[in-house]
Amino acid sequence: MSKIAVLMAEGFEEGETLTIVDILRRAGLTCDTFYFGDKLVKGMHDMYVEGDKAFGEEVKEYDMVVLPGGRPGGQNLKENPEVIKIVQYFNDNNKYIGAMCSGTVVLSDAKVIDGKRVTGYKGYAEKLIGGIFIDEVVVTDQNIVTSQGPATPYPFAYKIAEVFGKDTSTLREKMLYNFAGGK
């Protein structure tokens, strides 16, 4: 079974992070959150969420690493040399990397988006150095899946599930995504 690791640095965007984990678990994928330091991680909006596992070598056993946004969550991921190394490891081993909102800046620093189509938060075209910025909700290029921001974790998570061979049509219907105007 495919396994997805979602990294939760202090200041993570709660709505993005928890929606991604929720949808991937509903899709039948193993999805664990990884924390740095304390198991209770403070989010961007002062919500504390208990992470599943401590960040470490175990992440390499996963099929995808996901970097949600948040302020300063994205910056905290970017400034952690171990996160940069794990993103490079995933890229070098043709494993999937997902990032959204401010989490996308890690991809540029890790130099894994050179020549690849990516998206990110509005105004991030100049921050995603090396990538080809596309102003779309979700962009997939080779092993990289990116999305824009707090309103986009639904299509982002559905795309990740689809990358791992899951048909999300029934899930979208059950979650009323199509009813709410999602495609």
Side-chain angles (χ1 to χ4, degrees), residues 73-92:
Q75 188 69 25
N76 286 339
L77 290 172
K78 177 183 168 186
E79 292 175 359
N80 185 326
E82 294 306 311
V83 171
I84 299 295
K85 287 179 190 173
I86 204 73
V87 168
Q88 291 169 336
Y89 171 85
F90 271 70
N91 194 60
D92 292 345

Side-chain angles (χ1 to χ4, degrees):
M1 175 183 285
S2 300
K3 298 186 336 179
I4 295 104
V6 177
L7 306 187
M8 286 192 338
E10 184 172 328
F12 69 95
E13 216 304 337
E14 297 96 336
E16 293 172 4
T17 306
L18 298 178
T19 300
I20 294 164
V21 174
D22 176 48
I23 290 173
L24 295 177
R25 288 180 180 179
R26 287 177 192 238
L29 296 163
T30 298
C31 183
D32 295 313
T33 58
F34 284 81
Y35 58 90
F36 304 85
D38 293 334
K39 191 172 188 171
L40 279 178
V41 185
K42 182 180 178 182
M44 180 176 169
H45 302 287
D46 297 327
M47 293 181 220
Y48 286 83
V49 176
E50 185 175 325
D52 297 315
K53 300 179 177 202
F55 179 83
E57 289 294 309
E58 182 183 0
V59 174
K60 290 181 178 179
E61 298 170 15
Y62 283 67
D63 302 296
M64 180 178 215
V65 63
V66 175
L67 312 159
R71 298 221 169 102
Q75 188 69 25
N76 286 339
L77 290 172
K78 177 183 168 186
E79 292 175 359
N80 185 326
E82 294 306 311
V83 171
I84 299 295
K85 287 179 190 173
I86 204 73
V87 168
Q88 291 169 336
Y89 171 85
F90 271 70
N91 194 60
D92 292 345
N93 289 278
N94 295 312
K95 291 184 171 202
Y96 288 102
I97 302 164
M100 69 177 305
C101 200
S102 64
T104 59
V105 295
V106 175
L107 306 179
S108 186
D109 276 29
K111 299 188 183 341
V112 298
I113 58 170
D114 291 344
K116 294 180 183 175
R117 295 167 23 104
V118 295
T119 195
Y121 195 74
K122 296 291 181 184
Y124 270 40
E126 67 277 358
K127 291 185 179 190
L128 297 175
I129 299 163
I132 301 163
F133 190 86
I134 307 296
D135 190 16
E136 293 178 6
V137 173
V138 178
V139 174
T140 304
D141 193 342
Q142 298 175 37
N143 64 321
I144 307 286
V145 182
T146 53
S147 190
Q148 293 183 322
T152 67
Y154 277 77
F156 178 62
Y158 292 138
K159 177 54 78 178
I160 291 170
E162 291 163 2
V163 160
F164 288 104
K166 299 293 184 175
D167 178 357
T168 62
S169 57
T170 302
L171 181 59
R172 289 171 189 248
E173 207 171 291
K174 286 182 178 180
M175 294 183 76
L176 301 180
Y177 183 72
N178 298 333
F179 176 76
K183 295 175 184 159

